[in-house]
Coordinates of all heavy atoms in Angstrom, one line a residue:
M1 N 8.7 16.5 -49.3 CA 8.6 15.1 -49.8 C 9.7 14.9 -50.8 O 10.0 15.7 -51.6 CB 7.1 14.9 -50.5 CG 7.0 13.5 -50.9 SD 5.3 13.3 -51.6 CE 4.2 13.5 -50.2
K2 N 10.2 13.6 -50.7 CA 11.3 13.3 -51.6 C 10.8 13.0 -53.0 O 9.6 12.8 -53.1 CB 11.9 12.0 -51.2 CG 12.7 12.1 -49.7 CD 13.2 10.8 -49.3 CE 13.8 11.1 -47.9 NZ 14.2 9.8 -47.3
P3 N 11.6 13.4 -54.0 CA 11.1 13.3 -55.4 C 10.5 11.9 -55.8 O 9.6 11.7 -56.4 CB 12.3 13.7 -56.3 CG 13.1 14.4 -55.4 CD 12.9 13.9 -53.9
H4 N 11.3 10.9 -55.3 CA 10.9 9.5 -55.7 C 9.5 9.2 -55.1 O 8.7 8.4 -55.8 CB 11.9 8.5 -55.4 CG 12.3 8.4 -53.9 ND1 11.7 7.5 -53.1 CD2 13.3 9.1 -53.3 CE1 12.3 7.6 -51.9 NE2 13.2 8.6 -52.0
T5 N 9.2 9.6 -53.9 CA 7.9 9.3 -53.3 C 6.8 10.2 -53.9 O 5.7 9.8 -54.0 CB 7.9 9.5 -51.8 OG1 8.4 10.9 -51.5 CG2 8.8 8.6 -51.0
S6 N 7.2 11.4 -54.4 CA 6.1 12.2 -55.0 C 5.7 11.7 -56.3 O 4.6 11.8 -56.8 CB 6.7 13.7 -55.0 OG 7.7 13.8 -55.9
V7 N 6.7 11.0 -57.0 CA 6.4 10.4 -58.3 C 5.4 9.3 -58.1 O 4.3 9.2 -58.9 CB 7.6 9.8 -58.9 CG1 7.3 8.9 -60.1 CG2 8.6 10.8 -59.4
V8 N 5.5 8.5 -57.1 CA 4.5 7.5 -56.7 C 3.1 8.0 -56.3 O 2.1 7.6 -56.9 CB 5.0 6.6 -55.6 CG1 4.0 5.5 -55.2 CG2 6.3 5.9 -56.0
W9 N 3.1 9.0 -55.5 CA 1.8 9.7 -55.1 C 1.2 10.3 -56.3 O -0.1 10.3 -56.5 CB 2.0 10.6 -54.0 CG 2.3 9.9 -52.6 CD1 3.3 9.7 -51.9 CD2 1.2 9.1 -51.9 NE1 3.1 9.0 -50.9 CE2 1.8 8.6 -50.8 CE3 -0.2 8.8 -52.2 CZ2 1.1 7.7 -49.9 CZ3 -0.8 8.0 -51.3 CH2 -0.2 7.5 -50.1
L10 N 1.9 10.9 -57.2 CA 1.3 11.6 -58.3 C 0.8 10.6 -59.3 O -0.2 10.8 -60.0 CB 2.3 12.6 -59.0 CG 2.6 13.8 -58.3 CD1 3.7 14.6 -58.9 CD2 1.4 14.7 -58.3
G11 N 1.5 9.5 -59.4 CA 0.9 8.3 -60.3 C -0.3 7.7 -59.7 O -1.3 7.6 -60.5
Y12 N -0.4 7.6 -58.4 CA -1.7 7.2 -58.0 C -2.8 8.2 -58.1 O -4.0 7.9 -58.4 CB -1.6 6.9 -56.3 CG -1.0 5.5 -56.0 CD1 0.1 5.5 -55.2 CD2 -1.5 4.4 -56.6 CE1 0.7 4.2 -54.9 CE2 -1.0 3.1 -56.3 CZ 0.2 3.1 -55.4 OH 0.7 1.8 -55.1
A13 N -2.5 9.5 -57.8 CA -3.4 10.6 -58.1 C -3.9 10.6 -59.5 O -5.1 10.9 -59.8 CB -2.9 11.9 -57.6
S14 N -3.1 10.4 -60.4 CA -3.5 10.4 -61.8 C -4.5 9.4 -62.2 O -5.4 9.6 -62.9 CB -2.2 10.3 -62.8 OG -1.7 9.1 -62.8
I15 N -4.3 8.2 -61.6 CA -5.2 7.1 -61.8 C -6.6 7.4 -61.2 O -7.6 7.1 -61.7 CB -4.6 5.7 -61.3 CG1 -3.5 5.3 -62.2 CG2 -5.7 4.6 -61.3 CD1 -2.8 4.0 -61.8
V16 N -6.6 7.8 -59.9 CA -7.8 8.2 -59.2 C -8.5 9.3 -59.9 O -9.8 9.3 -60.1 CB -7.5 8.5 -57.7 CG1 -8.7 9.1 -57.0 CG2 -7.0 7.2 -57.1
L17 N -7.8 10.3 -60.3 CA -8.4 11.5 -60.9 C -8.9 11.3 -62.3 O -9.5 12.2 -62.9 CB -7.5 12.8 -60.8 CG -7.3 13.3 -59.4 CD1 -6.3 14.4 -59.4 CD2 -8.6 13.8 -58.8
S18 N -8.6 10.2 -62.9 CA -9.0 9.9 -64.2 C -10.6 9.7 -64.3 O -11.1 9.9 -65.3 CB -8.3 8.7 -64.8 OG -8.8 7.5 -64.2
I19 N -11.1 9.5 -63.2 CA -12.6 9.3 -63.1 C -13.2 10.6 -63.2 O -14.3 10.7 -63.8 CB -12.9 8.6 -61.7 CG1 -12.3 7.3 -61.6 CG2 -14.4 8.6 -61.6 CD1 -12.4 6.7 -60.2
V20 N -12.6 11.7 -62.8 CA -13.1 13.0 -62.8 C -12.8 13.9 -64.1 O -11.9 14.6 -64.1 CB -12.7 13.8 -61.6 CG1 -13.4 15.2 -61.4 CG2 -12.9 13.0 -60.4
W21 N -13.5 13.6 -65.1 CA -13.4 14.3 -66.5 C -11.9 14.3 -66.9 O -11.6 15.3 -67.6 CB -13.9 15.7 -66.2 CG -15.4 15.8 -66.0 CD1 -16.0 15.6 -64.8 CD2 -16.4 15.9 -67.0 NE1 -17.3 15.7 -65.1 CE2 -17.7 15.8 -66.4 CE3 -16.4 16.1 -68.5 CZ2 -18.9 15.9 -67.1 CZ3 -17.5 16.1 -69.2 CH2 -18.8 16.1 -68.4
G22 N -11.1 13.5 -66.6 CA -9.7 13.4 -67.1 C -8.8 14.4 -66.6 O -7.8 14.6 -67.3
V23 N -9.1 14.9 -65.5 CA -8.1 15.9 -64.9 C -6.9 15.3 -64.4 O -6.0 16.0 -63.9 CB -8.8 16.8 -63.8 CG1 -9.9 17.6 -64.4 CG2 -9.3 15.9 -62.7
G24 N -6.8 14.0 -64.4 CA -5.6 13.3 -63.9 C -4.5 13.4 -64.8 O -3.3 12.9 -64.5
I25 N -4.6 14.1 -65.9 CA -3.5 14.3 -66.8 C -2.4 15.1 -66.2 O -1.2 14.9 -66.4 CB -4.0 14.8 -68.3 CG1 -4.7 13.8 -69.0 CG2 -2.9 15.5 -69.0 CD1 -5.2 14.3 -70.3
I26 N -2.9 16.1 -65.4 CA -1.9 17.1 -64.8 C -1.0 16.3 -63.7 O 0.2 16.5 -63.9 CB -2.7 18.2 -64.0 CG1 -3.5 18.9 -65.1 CG2 -1.9 19.1 -63.3 CD1 -4.6 19.9 -64.5
P27 N -1.5 15.5 -62.9 CA -0.5 14.8 -62.0 C 0.4 13.8 -62.7 O 1.5 13.6 -62.4 CB -1.4 14.1 -60.8 CG -2.7 14.3 -61.2 CD -2.8 15.3 -62.3
A28 N -0.2 13.2 -63.7 CA 0.5 12.3 -64.6 C 1.7 12.9 -65.3 O 2.8 12.4 -65.3 CB -0.4 11.6 -65.6
Y29 N 1.5 14.1 -65.9 CA 2.4 14.8 -66.5 C 3.5 15.3 -65.5 O 4.8 15.2 -65.8 CB 1.8 16.2 -67.1 CG 2.9 17.1 -67.6 CD1 3.6 16.8 -68.8 CD2 3.1 18.3 -67.0 CE1 4.5 17.8 -69.3 CE2 4.0 19.2 -67.5 CZ 4.7 18.8 -68.7 OH 5.6 19.8 -69.1
Y30 N 3.3 15.8 -64.3 CA 4.2 16.1 -63.3 C 5.0 14.9 -62.9 O 6.2 15.0 -62.6 CB 3.5 16.9 -62.2 CG 3.3 18.3 -62.5 CD1 2.0 18.8 -62.5 CD2 4.3 19.2 -62.9 CE1 1.6 20.1 -62.8 CE2 4.0 20.5 -63.3 CZ 2.7 21.0 -63.2 OH 2.4 22.2 -63.5
A31 N 4.3 13.8 -62.6 CA 5.0 12.6 -62.1 C 6.1 12.1 -63.2 O 7.2 11.8 -62.8 CB 4.1 11.5 -61.9
I32 N 5.8 12.2 -64.4 CA 6.7 11.9 -65.6 C 7.9 12.9 -65.6 O 9.0 12.5 -65.8 CB 6.0 11.7 -66.9 CG1 5.0 10.5 -66.8 CG2 6.9 11.7 -68.1 CD1 4.0 10.4 -67.9
R33 N 7.5 14.1 -65.5 CA 8.6 15.2 -65.4 C 9.5 15.1 -64.2 O 10.8 15.1 -64.5 CB 7.9 16.6 -65.4 CG 8.0 17.3 -66.6 CD 7.4 18.7 -66.5 NE 8.3 19.6 -66.0 CZ 8.0 20.9 -65.7 NH1 6.8 21.2 -65.6 NH2 9.1 21.6 -65.2
I34 N 9.0 14.7 -63.1 CA 9.8 14.6 -61.9 C 10.8 13.4 -62.2 O 11.9 13.4 -61.8 CB 9.1 14.5 -60.7 CG1 8.4 15.8 -60.3 CG2 9.9 14.1 -59.5 CD1 7.4 15.8 -59.2
A35 N 10.2 12.2 -62.6 CA 10.9 11.0 -62.7 C 12.0 11.1 -63.8 O 13.1 10.6 -63.6 CB 9.9 9.9 -63.1
K36 N 11.7 11.8 -64.8 CA 12.8 12.1 -65.8 C 13.9 12.9 -65.3 O 15.0 12.9 -65.8 CB 12.2 12.7 -67.1 CG 11.4 11.7 -67.9 CD 10.9 12.2 -69.2 CE 10.2 11.0 -70.0 NZ 9.7 11.6 -71.3
A37 N 13.6 13.8 -64.4 CA 14.6 14.8 -63.9 C 15.5 14.1 -62.9 O 16.6 14.5 -62.6 CB 13.9 15.9 -63.2
H38 N 15.1 12.9 -62.4 CA 16.0 12.1 -61.5 C 16.3 10.8 -62.1 O 15.5 9.8 -61.9 CB 15.2 11.9 -60.1 CG 14.9 13.1 -59.4 ND1 14.0 14.1 -59.7 CD2 15.7 13.7 -58.4 CE1 14.1 15.1 -59.0 NE2 15.0 14.9 -58.1
P39 N 17.3 10.7 -62.9 CA 17.7 9.5 -63.5 C 18.1 8.4 -62.6 O 18.6 8.6 -61.5 CB 18.8 9.8 -64.4 CG 19.5 11.1 -63.9 CD 18.4 11.8 -63.2
I40 N 17.9 7.1 -63.0 CA 18.3 6.0 -62.3 C 19.7 5.6 -62.5 O 19.9 5.2 -63.7 CB 17.3 4.8 -62.5 CG1 15.9 5.2 -62.1 CG2 17.7 3.6 -61.7 CD1 14.9 4.2 -62.6
G41 N 20.6 5.7 -61.6 CA 22.0 5.4 -61.8 C 22.4 4.2 -61.2 O 21.7 3.5 -60.5
V42 N 23.7 3.9 -61.3 CA 24.3 2.7 -60.6 C 24.3 2.9 -59.1 O 24.1 2.0 -58.3 CB 25.7 2.4 -61.2 CG1 26.3 1.3 -60.4 CG2 25.6 2.2 -62.6
G43 N 24.6 4.1 -58.6 CA 24.7 4.3 -57.2 C 23.3 4.5 -56.5 O 23.3 4.8 -55.3
T44 N 22.3 4.4 -57.2 CA 20.9 4.7 -56.7 C 20.5 3.6 -55.8 O 20.6 2.4 -56.2 CB 19.8 5.0 -57.8 OG1 20.4 6.0 -58.7 CG2 18.6 5.4 -57.2
S45 N 19.9 3.8 -54.6 CA 19.4 2.7 -53.9 C 18.3 1.9 -54.5 O 17.5 2.5 -55.3 CB 19.1 3.2 -52.5 OG 17.9 4.0 -52.5
P46 N 18.0 0.7 -54.1 CA 16.9 -0.1 -54.7 C 15.6 0.5 -54.4 O 14.7 0.3 -55.2 CB 17.1 -1.5 -54.1 CG 18.6 -1.5 -53.6 CD 19.0 -0.2 -53.4
E47 N 15.4 1.1 -53.2 CA 14.1 1.7 -52.9 C 13.8 2.8 -53.9 O 12.7 2.9 -54.3 CB 14.2 2.1 -51.4 CG 14.2 1.0 -50.5 CD 15.6 0.6 -50.2 OE1 16.5 1.3 -50.6 OE2 15.9 -0.5 -49.6
I48 N 14.8 3.7 -54.1 CA 14.5 4.8 -54.9 C 14.3 4.3 -56.4 O 13.3 4.8 -57.1 CB 15.7 5.8 -54.9 CG1 15.7 6.4 -53.5 CG2 15.5 6.9 -56.0 CD1 16.9 7.3 -53.3
R49 N 15.0 3.4 -56.8 CA 14.9 2.8 -58.3 C 13.4 2.2 -58.4 O 12.6 2.4 -59.3 CB 15.8 1.6 -58.5 CG 17.1 2.2 -59.1 CD 17.9 1.1 -59.7 NE 19.1 1.1 -58.8 CZ 19.7 0.1 -58.3 NH1 19.3 -1.2 -58.8 NH2 20.8 0.1 -57.6
R50 N 12.9 1.4 -57.3 CA 11.6 0.8 -57.3 C 10.6 1.9 -57.3 O 9.6 1.8 -58.0 CB 11.5 -0.1 -56.1 CG 10.2 -0.8 -56.0 CD 9.9 -1.4 -54.8 NE 9.9 -0.4 -53.7 CZ 10.4 -0.4 -52.5 NH1 11.3 -1.4 -52.2 NH2 10.3 0.6 -51.7
D51 N 10.7 2.9 -56.5 CA 9.8 4.0 -56.5 C 9.7 4.8 -57.8 O 8.5 5.1 -58.3 CB 10.0 5.0 -55.4 CG 9.7 4.5 -54.0 OD1 9.1 3.5 -53.9 OD2 10.1 5.2 -53.0
L52 N 10.7 5.1 -58.5 CA 10.7 5.8 -59.7 C 10.1 5.0 -60.8 O 9.3 5.4 -61.6 CB 12.1 6.2 -60.1 CG 12.7 7.4 -59.2 CD1 14.1 7.7 -59.6 CD2 11.9 8.6 -59.4
R53 N 10.6 3.6 -60.9 CA 10.0 2.8 -61.9 C 8.5 2.6 -61.7 O 7.6 2.7 -62.6 CB 10.7 1.5 -61.9 CG 12.1 1.6 -62.6 CD 12.7 0.3 -62.5 NE 14.1 0.4 -63.1 CZ 15.1 -0.4 -62.8 NH1 14.9 -1.5 -62.0 NH2 16.3 -0.3 -63.3
G54 N 8.0 2.3 -60.4 CA 6.6 2.1 -60.1 C 5.9 3.3 -60.4 O 4.7 3.3 -60.9
G55 N 6.4 4.6 -60.0 CA 5.7 5.8 -60.2 C 5.5 6.1 -61.6 O 4.5 6.6 -62.1
M56 N 6.4 5.8 -62.4 CA 6.3 6.0 -64.0 C 5.3 5.0 -64.5 O 4.6 5.5 -65.3 CB 7.7 5.7 -64.5 CG 8.7 6.9 -64.4 SD 8.1 8.3 -65.3 CE 8.5 7.8 -67.1
L57 N 5.3 3.8 -64.0 CA 4.3 2.9 -64.5 C 2.9 3.4 -64.1 O 1.9 3.4 -65.0 CB 4.6 1.5 -63.9 CG 3.6 0.4 -64.4 CD1 3.7 0.1 -65.8 CD2 3.8 -0.8 -63.6
L58 N 2.7 3.8 -62.9 CA 1.4 4.3 -62.5 C 1.1 5.6 -63.3 O -0.1 5.7 -63.7 CB 1.5 4.7 -61.0 CG 1.5 3.4 -60.0 CD1 1.8 4.0 -58.6 CD2 0.2 2.8 -60.1
A59 N 2.0 6.6 -63.5 CA 1.8 7.7 -64.2 C 1.3 7.4 -65.7 O 0.4 8.0 -66.2 CB 2.9 8.7 -64.1
R60 N 2.0 6.6 -66.3 CA 1.8 6.1 -67.7 C 0.3 5.4 -67.7 O -0.5 5.7 -68.6 CB 2.7 5.1 -68.2 CG 4.0 5.9 -68.6 CD 5.0 5.0 -69.1 NE 6.3 5.7 -69.4 CZ 7.5 5.1 -69.3 NH1 7.6 3.8 -68.9 NH2 8.6 5.8 -69.5
A61 N 0.0 4.6 -66.8 CA -1.3 4.0 -66.7 C -2.4 5.1 -66.5 O -3.5 5.0 -67.2 CB -1.4 3.0 -65.6
G62 N -2.1 6.0 -65.6 CA -3.0 7.1 -65.4 C -3.2 8.0 -66.7 O -4.3 8.5 -67.0
L63 N -2.2 8.2 -67.3 CA -2.2 8.9 -68.6 C -3.0 8.3 -69.7 O -3.8 9.0 -70.3 CB -0.8 9.2 -69.1 CG -0.6 10.2 -70.2 CD1 -0.9 11.6 -69.7 CD2 0.9 10.2 -70.7
V64 N -2.8 6.9 -69.8 CA -3.8 6.2 -70.7 C -5.2 6.3 -70.3 O -6.1 6.6 -71.2 CB -3.2 4.8 -70.8 CG1 -4.3 3.9 -71.5 CG2 -1.8 4.7 -71.5
L65 N -5.5 6.0 -69.0 CA -6.8 6.2 -68.5 C -7.5 7.6 -68.7 O -8.6 7.6 -69.2 CB -6.9 5.8 -67.0 CG -6.8 4.3 -66.8 CD1 -6.6 4.2 -65.2 CD2 -7.9 3.5 -67.3
N66 N -6.7 8.6 -68.5 CA -7.2 9.9 -68.7 C -7.4 10.2 -70.2 O -8.5 10.9 -70.5 CB -6.2 11.0 -68.2 CG -6.2 11.0 -66.7 OD1 -7.3 11.3 -66.0 ND2 -5.2 10.6 -65.9
C67 N -6.6 9.8 -71.0 CA -6.8 10.0 -72.5 C -8.1 9.2 -72.9 O -8.8 9.7 -73.7 CB -5.5 9.5 -73.3 SG -4.2 10.7 -73.1
L68 N -8.3 8.1 -72.4 CA -9.4 7.2 -72.8 C -10.7 8.0 -72.3 O -11.7 8.1 -73.0 CB -9.3 5.8 -72.1 CG -10.4 4.9 -72.5 CD1 -10.4 4.6 -73.9 CD2 -10.2 3.6 -71.7
V69 N -10.7 8.6 -71.0 CA -11.8 9.2 -70.5 C -12.1 10.5 -71.4 O -13.3 10.8 -71.7 CB -11.6 9.6 -69.0 CG1 -12.6 10.6 -68.5 CG2 -11.6 8.4 -68.1
L70 N -11.1 11.3 -71.7 CA -11.3 12.4 -72.5 C -11.7 12.1 -73.9 O -12.6 12.7 -74.6 CB -9.9 13.2 -72.6 CG -9.5 13.9 -71.3 CD1 -8.3 14.7 -71.5 CD2 -10.5 14.9 -71.0
A71 N -11.3 11.0 -74.4 CA -11.8 10.5 -75.7 C -13.2 10.2 -75.7 O -14.0 10.5 -76.6 CB -11.0 9.3 -76.3
V72 N -13.6 9.4 -74.7 CA -15.0 9.1 -74.5 C -16.0 10.4 -74.4 O -17.0 10.5 -74.9 CB -15.3 8.2 -73.3 CG1 -16.7 8.0 -72.9 CG2 -14.6 6.9 -73.7
I73 N -15.5 11.3 -73.6 CA -16.2 12.6 -73.4 C -16.3 13.4 -74.7 O -17.4 13.8 -75.0 CB -15.5 13.5 -72.3 CG1 -15.6 12.9 -70.9 CG2 -16.1 14.9 -72.3 CD1 -14.7 13.5 -69.9
V74 N -15.2 13.4 -75.4 CA -15.3 14.2 -76.8 C -16.3 13.4 -77.7 O -17.1 14.0 -78.4 CB -13.9 14.3 -77.4 CG1 -14.0 14.6 -78.8 CG2 -13.1 15.2 -76.6
W75 N -16.2 12.0 -77.7 CA -17.1 11.2 -78.5 C -18.5 11.5 -78.1 O -19.4 11.6 -79.1 CB -16.7 9.8 -78.3 CG -17.6 8.9 -79.2 CD1 -18.6 8.1 -78.8 CD2 -17.6 8.7 -80.6 NE1 -19.2 7.4 -79.8 CE2 -18.6 7.8 -81.0 CE3 -16.8 9.2 -81.7 CZ2 -18.8 7.5 -82.3 CZ3 -17.0 8.8 -82.9 CH2 -18.0 7.9 -83.2
I76 N -18.8 11.5 -76.9 CA -20.1 11.8 -76.4 C -20.6 13.1 -76.9 O -21.8 13.3 -77.4 CB -20.3 11.6 -74.9 CG1 -20.2 10.1 -74.5 CG2 -21.7 12.1 -74.4 CD1 -20.0 9.9 -73.0
L77 N -19.8 14.1 -76.7 CA -20.2 15.6 -77.1 C -20.4 15.6 -78.6 O -21.4 16.2 -79.1 CB -19.1 16.5 -76.7 CG -19.0 16.7 -75.2 CD1 -17.8 17.7 -74.9 CD2 -20.3 17.4 -74.7
I78 N -19.6 14.9 -79.4 CA -19.7 14.9 -80.9 C -21.1 14.1 -81.3 O -21.8 14.7 -82.1 CB -18.5 14.2 -81.6 CG1 -17.4 15.2 -81.4 CG2 -18.8 13.9 -83.1 CD1 -16.0 14.6 -81.9
T79 N -21.3 13.1 -80.7 CA -22.5 12.2 -81.2 C -23.8 12.9 -80.7 O -24.8 12.7 -81.3 CB -22.3 10.8 -80.7 OG1 -22.2 10.8 -79.2 CG2 -21.2 10.1 -81.4
T80 N -23.8 13.6 -79.6 CA -25.1 14.1 -79.0 C -25.4 15.5 -79.8 O -26.5 15.9 -79.8 CB -25.1 14.4 -77.6 OG1 -23.9 15.2 -77.3 CG2 -25.0 13.0 -76.9
R81 N -24.4 16.1 -80.4 CA -24.7 17.3 -81.1 C -25.1 17.1 -82.5 O -25.6 18.1 -83.0 CB -23.3 18.2 -81.1 CG -22.8 18.5 -79.8 CD -23.6 19.7 -79.2 NE -22.9 20.0 -77.8 CZ -23.7 20.5 -76.9 NH1 -24.9 20.8 -77.1 NH2 -23.0 20.8 -75.7
L82 N -24.9 16.0 -83.0 CA -25.3 15.7 -84.4 C -26.7 15.2 -84.5 O -27.4 14.7 -83.9 CB -24.3 14.7 -85.1 CG -22.9 15.3 -85.2 CD1 -22.0 14.2 -85.8 CD2 -22.8 16.5 -86.0

């Protein structure tokens, strides 16, 4: 799979997996790593630029959702133990 398409799929996976105990942090992290390894240059085709930018947006949204889910889980564990 091409790196720019894997960034998009990992971004989608991070959003979907945020529902499951915040495990979507892993694909979000890998999507961001792959996207940073492939910089957008002048000679890059518009499709690749669009995929990288969109994948990064999805990965960041997934990262925020996962952090929110983990914060809620930690909050629930703290409040039920006291």
Side-chain angles (χ1 to χ4, degrees):
M1 183 179 293
K2 296 178 182 173
H4 58 92
T5 55
S6 64
V7 170
V8 175
W9 283 108
L10 286 170
Y12 280 126
S14 69
I15 290 175
V16 170
L17 290 175
S18 69
I19 299 168
V20 187
W21 292 86
V23 296
I25 285 180
I26 297 166
Y29 172 72
Y30 283 120
I32 291 171
R33 253 179 88 189
I34 291 170
K36 285 185 179 179
H38 293 77
I40 300 170
V42 177
T44 310
S45 70
E47 294 83 15
I48 293 174
R49 271 190 249 144
R50 183 191 64 227
D51 284 351
L52 287 174
R53 287 181 184 154
M56 280 292 288
L57 180 68
L58 288 169
R60 287 181 183 147
L63 194 62
V64 169
L65 285 173
N66 283 295
C67 289
L68 186 65
V69 167
L70 288 175
V72 168
I73 290 170
V74 168
W75 180 257
I76 290 170
L77 289 174
I78 289 171
T79 58
T80 56
R81 299 286 182 206
L82 297 178

